[in-house]
Amino acid sequence: MSTTVDTRLIQQLDSAHFLHPFTNFKDLAARGSRVITRAEDIYIWDSEGHRLLDAMSGLWCVNAGYGRRELADAAHSQMMTLPFYNSFFQTTNVPAVQLASRLAELAPAAGDRRFQHVFYSSSGSESNDSNIRMVRRYWDLLGQPQRKVIISRRNAYHGSTMGAASLGGMGDMHAQGDLPIPDITHIGQPYFLEAEQPGETRDAFGIRAAGWLEEKILALGPERVAAFIAEPVQGAGGVIIPPDTYWPEIQRIVDKYGILLISDEVICAFGRLGHWFAYEKFGYRPDLVTFAKAVTSGYIPLGGVLVGDRVARVLIEQGGEFNHGYTYSGHPVACAVGLANLDLMAREGLPERVRTVTGPYLAKRFAELNAHPLVVDAETCGYVGGLVLVRNPATRQAFDPSLAVGMVCRGHCFRNGLIMRAVGDRMIIAPPLTMRESQVDEMMALIVRCLDLTLQDAHRNGWLA
Ligand code: PXG
């Protein structure tokens, strides 16, 4: 099937017409894209017939794996019945209602926070823009319009629209387009390797890192702070798993000052950390939960926000018309695929398998990488994992960033049939939740091979000297 594609022609048309996201257009045109033509289970194939084990689930989204016929059937059947209708003018559609009530069932109550309502979008970025609108509207309705500031974290990723990129803490993104927009500010991330002090334990660091939130609230004036937004585990920032002490301390602080807590679970929900929602794993109590990606296992775009009772009650009872929404809010085909996907994941018990069987197995195998002469901090959480490539594990000395060792390793992965991502010198994975133990072994063998090849490069080029 893959050999029928004219790779050169597709590459030429690609560079002539397709501006890729987060891409240096000129470099890519000179190099030529890899043309991905098909996928099955945990593998993708390119137009030259190379098979790659996709340890990134596409882009953190194909949780149910590739080639799931039920999802295609759900889309086909819904398209033949009702391919589109809007929800703006006092109409609704069956899949959107069913999916909203299913999500409300799946989202566990968090203390006094219950999640009965969903606001739909088509992506994580749009969902976070909706969060900004809802949070500011909430405080306006409560007669506190001065509560505008949303606090986020450096190196967070919350999307790429003006609002979502402002919430994100990526300096390179802020530098293009005059971001952040007003009244969004950032504190440090809970990344031990970056900020640890001599003799500090991870747990002590977790408390200190959460304390940056309280410092920021006090510096701004608590009466100005609307919300804090964070990913349970930072994904695009490099799989930064916070110390155990971090989230409880964050909860204490947001409670103390009465500010809203937004859990951006675009990556972490739907089984990725072994639970339907990640706030359950860490035991905190968000007011709003952003979702997208794996709600459909990436088969079709869909996103949204679970709106907790605290916010929903005010928007519903006191809000009047909410002047916000998207053409595709509650898209029937996307919602039908979402329902089929959640059915499939529940039937196969994927979140539970990750929590009790495959996640622990991956954790054990991945931690073995800490014995590799280039690696420190190899660690997983559910079905995400990350490690750091260093010059010297004993001293944890980093490589010179100009060597781009992560990219060198990523190149070896591509050439050896493995998709693993590099974020600086952090190598990260987020495999499909369907990945069995034998496939974990297969992935680990590929990872070790690519680390060994990177080590050979390091010796040959004198990077370790
Ligand atoms: N929040 C989080 C936590 C995300 O990871 C978004 C919001 C935005 O979602 P949309 O659907 O608008 O893309 C994301 C997206 C990467 C990478 O390089 C990660 C994402 C998107 C693109 C690239 O790891 N995450």
Side-chain angles (χ1 to χ4, degrees), residues 373-429:
L374 281 184
V375 173
V376 292
D377 290 2
E379 190 188 5
T380 63
C381 180
Y383 253 30
V384 292
L387 59 82
V388 193
L389 299 174
V390 289
R391 232 175 117 181
N392 180 346
T395 60
R396 302 166 76 81
Q397 190 189 1
F399 283 105
D400 180 341
S402 69
L403 298 174
V405 174
M407 294 306 275
V408 170
C409 183
R410 192 185 78 165
H412 285 304
C413 294
F414 263 125
R415 286 187 292 278
N416 286 276
L418 173 68
I419 306 278
M420 176 158 71
R421 280 213 37 205
V423 178
D425 288 348
R426 290 186 65 81
M427 302 305 299
I428 61 178
I429 58 164

Side-chain angles (χ1 to χ4, degrees), residues 126-458:
E126 289 175 343
S127 303
N128 280 326
D129 276 37
S130 296
N131 276 328
I132 298 173
R133 302 289 304 274
M134 280 194 275
V135 161
R136 291 187 174 164
R137 179 83 181 134
Y138 169 83
W139 288 114
D140 282 353
L141 289 167
L142 289 185
Q144 300 186 52
Q146 79 290 347
R147 276 207 195 245
K148 285 274 183 287
V149 181
I150 303 178
I151 302 174
S152 178
R153 305 180 299 185
R154 283 190 285 285
N155 198 36
Y157 190 82
H158 296 297
S160 207
T161 53
M162 295 291 279
S166 297
L167 291 174
M170 304 284 184
D172 292 352
M173 291 176 72
H174 291 172
Q176 297 180 355
D178 303 315
L179 302 179
I181 60 172
D183 288 329
I184 290 177
T185 186
H186 300 81
I187 59 171
Q189 59 178 336
Y191 184 23
F192 189 51
L193 190 68
E194 175 190 77
E196 75 190 286
Q197 291 176 346
E200 191 176 34
T201 63
R202 262 182 85 102
D203 281 353
F205 169 67
I207 301 282
R208 184 163 66 86
W212 298 329
L213 176 61
E214 187 156 25
E215 286 168 22
K216 180 64 91 175
I217 292 169
L218 293 172
L220 289 161
E223 70 290 347
R224 291 186 56 214
V225 180
F228 175 62
I229 183 168
E231 300 153 84
V233 167
Q234 283 153 267
V239 181
I240 313 290
I241 303 168
D244 291 341
T245 49
Y246 183 75
W247 274 114
E249 181 65 2
I250 289 287
Q251 184 70 56
R252 185 190 69 75
I253 295 166
V254 295
D255 283 347
K256 179 170 172 190
Y257 297 98
I259 69 176
L260 295 170
L261 177 57
I262 308 170
S263 185
D264 182 345
E265 306 207 359
V266 166
I267 286 176
C268 293
F270 306 114
R272 178 60 58 198
L273 302 189
H275 297 263
W276 286 105
F277 292 97
Y279 66 82
E280 191 185 1
K281 175 179 174 60
F282 292 109
Y284 58 87
R285 301 184 296 279
D287 298 293
L288 298 153
V289 180
T290 321
F291 66 89
K293 295 192 187 272
V295 64
T296 61
S297 281
Y299 279 55
I300 197 164
L302 178 65
V305 182
L306 292 182
V307 184
D309 287 351
R310 174 180 173 193
V311 174
R313 216 176 291 127
V314 173
L315 295 182
I316 293 166
E317 299 301 329
Q318 297 167 237
E321 181 167 336
F322 184 45
N323 300 319
H324 174 71
Y326 311 102
T327 300
Y328 298 134
S329 289
H331 192 290
V333 179
C335 292
V337 174
L339 276 168
N341 176 58
L342 297 182
D343 280 348
L344 182 160
M345 290 191 28
R347 197 170 59 244
E348 298 183 357
L350 293 179
E352 194 188 339
R353 265 169 57 77
V354 167
R355 186 169 69 251
T356 59
V357 182
T358 50
Y361 185 70
L362 175 67
K364 179 172 114 337
R365 293 295 332 268
F366 202 77
E368 289 166 18
L369 296 173
N370 286 310
H372 192 277
L374 281 184
V375 173
V376 292
D377 290 2
E379 190 188 5
T380 63
C381 180
Y383 253 30
V384 292
L387 59 82
V388 193
L389 299 174
V390 289
R391 232 175 117 181
N392 180 346
T395 60
R396 302 166 76 81
Q397 190 189 1
F399 283 105
D400 180 341
S402 69
L403 298 174
V405 174
M407 294 306 275
V408 170
C409 183
R410 192 185 78 165
H412 285 304
C413 294
F414 263 125
R415 286 187 292 278
N416 286 276
L418 173 68
I419 306 278
M420 176 158 71
R421 280 213 37 205
V423 178
D425 288 348
R426 290 186 65 81
M427 302 305 299
I428 61 178
I429 58 164
L433 309 189
T434 50
M435 180 183 269
R436 304 182 295 276
E437 285 101 318
S438 59
Q439 293 175 319
V440 169
D441 292 340
E442 185 186 331
M443 174 179 72
M444 292 307 304
L446 287 170
I447 292 176
V448 169
R449 179 181 164 85
C450 297
L451 290 171
D452 287 347
L453 290 167
T454 309
L455 180 63
Q456 282 174 21
D457 288 341

